[in-house]
Amino acid sequence: MSRTSTLTHASQGISQPALPSPVQLEPLRDERKHNGSFLDTPPLDEADPIPSDTSPETVSREDSIESHFRGTWHEITFILVVIMAQLFSQMNLGNTIIQAASIADTFRIGEVQESWFVASYSTTVGAFVLVTGRLGDIYGIKTLWMIGWTWLAVFSLLCGFCGYVQSAVLFDVFRALMGIGPATLMPNASALLGTAFPPGFKKNLAFAIFGAVAPGGYVLGLTWGAIFTQIAEDWRWTYWSMTFLCLTMTFAAWLVIPSELNVSHGGSFDWLGSLVGISGLVLIFFAFKYGAVYIPTLLVVGLLLIVLFVLIENRTEDPVMPMSMFTKPAFAAVIVSLACGWMSFGMFQYYEPQFLMRLRGISMMELCLQLIPCAACGAFAAATAVYLLPRVPAWTVFLASMCFFCISQILLALTPVNQSYWPMTFPLTVLVSIGPDLSFASASLIVSDQVSRKQQGAAGSFINTVVNYSIGLGLAFGGNIEVSTNDHGRDTLKGYRSAWWLGAGFAGLGVVLTILSRKKMQRHKQE
């Protein structure tokens, strides 16, 4: 369940991507002072202290800021429309995972190539979200948000028509380009919520709902794909129906989102750095996805482009990614650990549905029912993160998330084929859903404590890049180890288990790095 970070809010003039963690970090500021770490986001009026949510100052401020809504019903409708970005981003992951075998049959390709359908989408979301938030700052957040819906509609339509041309390569390309849509939607959806509401209950509730719908979006996507593939027996309508829904959301956005929320701050955009950075990430993904044949060339070129990206960002006045962030004590450790955890999570997202359908022989609709706990427990984990982070050190929550990642991968690798749902599959669907929300929320807070105010938006975008890119990169590693261990497709179970043990190794590395870096993660925020 790919995610987006909320480190700052749009009232600061910095757009921030929002992941399915409900943490609205800036209200935690006062609550975290007891453990020496707080999120130092500037109040609306720097000259005055932040008032409590029930003070007259806050009430009058909310009245003035929320005057663009015509009433409570308008506020509710606005929130429902904006959180659809989160829901649809996850739906477009789940709807393809569940019908990957049917799509592969249409294109007459082998099982080992099916992970491309998912990995290409996640990788593009991760690579492009680094820049789309900045574009929203320059050209208007509502404008970019509506462009994201339109883009997603167009490439959903084209993915469906690939069934006629029977080209797996073209389908992979369109799936990758489809990912630019959610990459545009997510940071600007978060910016819309941040702009619409001042600090207080409504803002916290809006972001909590935004985070809580992500696990449900993944399960709903599985169900959506199952309806058209198993019942209607035509996977193409999964994408054509998404086209209609996306166009509907474009119209709803135009109708519901007040024009005064189309905030733009102007400024320049680092086109060269963005192009070089995205190209480097894409080539590195291709290198590992294709395996040993292409690694020497693509990997070297990709790494060289990343080095060039660093040089460009150090010389640019308005960089997409300020390199000074990487000099902070715990920044690199958190990012690497986060990547390890989410690479392991990608192994669950893709291989668990394949295990249940191919080896246990359950239907697509049965699969959707068995994974319903993911939606419920993911939402519960999001709420738990909101409760815990003001009360305990963030690194302990982050460490717990890495443990949940690791334990769930071990359970996956040890689950017998000829076993009922309840002994192991049910517990692992509960455990695996807790790690993502805890890890994202706690990592967001730790990173926010490490970087300066002006770097909050860039740090948030980078966390989202790490989360989504890691899912694709993890599937690249997992696909390679699956192919090398499944005896040329004759031992499917061994291939799946090899991928899960790799995921357990990634998550275990995240646990070790977190323990070793725990003291650095408690440092005060850098100004």
Side-chain angles (χ1 to χ4, degrees):
M1 292 168 254
S2 57
R3 311 299 212 228
T4 327
S5 150
T6 313
L7 291 181
T8 59
H9 51 80
S11 61
Q12 293 172 259
I14 303 176
S15 87
Q16 75 285 5
L19 276 96
S21 167
V23 178
Q24 178 57 18
L25 295 175
E26 130 281 336
L28 304 179
R29 178 181 183 180
D30 293 335
E31 297 176 78
R32 289 187 54 81
K33 289 180 179 179
H34 72 280
N35 62 16
S37 177
F38 61 92
L39 181 68
D40 195 7
T41 54
L44 296 175
D45 185 356
E46 284 290 350
D48 300 321
I50 298 177
S52 66
D53 292 345
T54 57
S55 68
E57 292 87 345
T58 301
V59 173
S60 61
R61 186 171 296 165
E62 289 190 0
D63 289 341
S64 63
I65 292 180
E66 297 176 32
S67 61
H68 37 254
F69 292 117
R70 296 188 291 273
T72 302
W73 67 269
H74 191 190
E75 289 182 330
I76 295 173
T77 306
F78 168 78
I79 293 173
L80 290 176
V81 168
V82 173
I83 66 174
M84 289 299 106
Q86 181 75 276
L87 194 76
F88 276 62
S89 296
Q90 304 305 315
M91 283 182 66
N92 279 289
L93 188 65
N95 65 13
T96 302
I97 288 174
I98 198 167
Q99 60 188 15
S102 299
I103 298 173
D105 289 342
T106 299
F107 297 143
R108 297 183 178 87
I109 59 175
E111 179 185 346
V112 295
Q113 295 175 275
E114 294 174 13
S115 61
W116 266 104
F117 307 153
V118 179
S120 58
Y121 173 83
S122 294
T123 302
T124 308
V125 173
F128 278 85
V129 80
L130 193 64
V131 302
T132 51
R134 176 60 181 159
L135 289 173
D137 284 340
I138 297 174
Y139 299 108
I141 53 180
K142 179 181 177 181
T143 299
L144 262 290
W145 205 69
M146 294 179 65
I147 289 174
W149 281 116
T150 306
W151 184 283
L152 187 57
V154 169
F155 283 97
S156 295
L157 182 70
L158 293 175
C159 280
F161 280 114
C162 286
Y164 288 111
V165 299
Q166 296 189 350
S167 171
V169 174
L170 188 62
F171 181 80
D172 290 335
V173 171
F174 285 158
R175 276 288 291 174
L177 292 173
M178 182 192 292
I180 299 177
T184 305
L185 288 172
M186 297 297 285
N188 291 292
S190 177
L192 285 170
L193 293 177
T195 305
F197 301 104
F201 172 76
K202 289 181 180 179
K203 190 171 200 173
N204 293 349
L205 179 62
F207 276 98
I209 297 173
F210 188 80
V213 300
Y218 173 71
V219 177
L220 182 60
L222 293 172
T223 307
W224 196 263
I227 289 173
F228 289 103
T229 306
Q230 179 180 323
I231 300 177
E233 298 183 346
D234 191 343
W235 61 264
R236 295 171 299 181
W237 277 101
T238 301
Y239 299 105
W240 292 337
S241 61
M242 291 299 296
T243 298
F244 171 77
L245 293 176
C246 290
L247 291 176
T248 302
M249 290 308 306
T250 305
F251 176 73
W254 174 79
L255 192 66
V256 173
I257 299 175
S259 57
E260 54 264 38
L261 292 184
N262 192 28
V263 179
S264 60
H265 304 282
S268 60
F269 183 74
D270 182 14
W271 292 103
L272 178 60
S274 300
L275 177 63
V276 172
I278 291 172
S279 300
L281 290 175
V282 171
L283 287 179
I284 291 172
F285 165 75
F286 267 84
F288 288 114
K289 183 62 182 173
Y290 269 119
V293 177
Y294 293 96
I295 280 183
T297 303
L298 294 181
L299 183 59
V300 169
V301 174
L303 291 175
L304 288 176
L305 287 177
I306 295 299
V307 172
L308 180 60
F309 172 73
V310 172
L311 295 176
I312 293 173
E313 296 304 281
N314 280 328
R315 296 174 178 269
T316 302
E317 291 185 5
D318 296 312
V320 173
M321 178 57 54
M323 291 296 110
S324 59
M325 292 192 305
F326 293 90
T327 64
K328 307 304 178 182
F331 188 85
V334 171
I335 292 302
V336 174
S337 298
L338 189 68
C340 289
W342 281 85
M343 280 194 289
S344 73
F345 185 67
M347 308 295 187
F348 163 80
Q349 284 187 303
Y350 178 75
Y351 285 108
E352 175 67 356
Q354 310 309 319
F355 171 82
L356 294 174
M357 290 188 295
R358 295 178 189 272
L359 299 183
R360 284 195 176 171
I362 69 172
S363 68
M364 293 182 180
M365 298 305 296
E366 287 178 304
L367 169 69
C368 299
L369 291 174
Q370 291 193 9
L371 293 186
I372 285 178
C374 291
C377 295
F380 172 77
T384 301
V386 173
Y387 176 81
L388 288 178
L389 285 172
R391 295 167 174 82
V392 301
W395 73 267
T396 61
V397 179
F398 189 67
L399 176 61
S401 72
M402 293 296 114
C403 292
F404 279 116
F405 279 132
C406 187
I407 293 171
S408 60
Q409 292 295 314
I410 294 173
L411 288 177
L412 282 167
L414 296 176
T415 300
V417 175
N418 299 316
Q419 187 184 61
S420 66
Y421 170 70
W422 298 104
M424 292 186 70
T425 304
F426 173 71
L428 73 86
T429 58
V430 171
L431 294 176
V432 77
S433 305
I434 298 175
D437 281 292
L438 291 185
S439 68
F440 176 74
S442 53
S444 297
L445 191 54
I446 294 170
V447 167
S448 181
D449 284 346
Q450 293 287 314
V451 302
S452 64
R453 288 178 180 174
K454 66 181 180 180
Q455 294 175 341
Q456 295 286 316
S461 294
F462 189 63
I463 284 181
N464 179 65
T465 292
V466 170
V467 165
N468 288 279
Y469 186 78
S470 296
I471 293 175
L473 190 61
L475 287 177
F477 289 128
N480 285 326
I481 197 170
E482 177 200 357
V483 172
S484 62
T485 58
N486 67 1
D487 192 20
H488 303 287
R490 290 187 289 268
D491 193 346
T492 302
L493 178 60
K494 185 177 180 181
Y496 290 174
R497 284 181 171 165
S498 298
W500 287 327
W501 282 120
L502 177 65
F506 283 140
L509 178 60
V511 171
V512 173
L513 288 175
T514 303
I515 293 174
L516 294 177
S517 305
R518 65 188 185 280
K519 292 184 179 180
K520 295 179 181 179
M521 294 180 187
Q522 299 180 73
R523 287 174 59 93
H524 289 196
K525 185 180 186 302
Q526 304 294 312
E527 290 297 336

